[in-house]
Amino acid sequence: MKHYRINKLTKADGIIIKKKDILATSDAAAVQHAAADDDCPVCDVLRDGKRVGSVL
């Protein structure tokens, strides 16, 4: 399991409103988790401080 941070944004490349930490087995699983979250209409998914995916 790897540690990921999901940043909820106001808009694409916008201001961070909320941060959430999750554990996932892969980058794709973390992005899929963010996409399924009702609280995440626009989010960035980061691993080790680098963006690995986005939900728009």
Side-chain angles (χ1 to χ4, degrees):
M1 298 295 266
K2 298 175 188 171
H3 176 260
Y4 292 88
R5 170 157 290 157
I6 299 173
N7 290 336
K8 181 180 177 183
L9 308 172
T10 55
K11 60 180 181 177
D13 295 324
I15 298 171
I16 298 171
I17 300 172
K18 188 176 184 182
K19 298 177 182 180
K20 184 177 188 179
D21 294 321
I22 64 165
L23 294 174
T25 56
S26 67
D27 294 351
V31 173
Q32 200 170 31
H33 184 278
D37 191 344
D38 291 337
D39 195 32
C40 192
V42 179
C43 293
D44 281 340
V45 180
L46 296 96
R47 179 177 42 89
D48 299 329
K50 296 181 182 177
R51 185 167 56 183
V52 296
S54 297
V55 177
L56 301 174

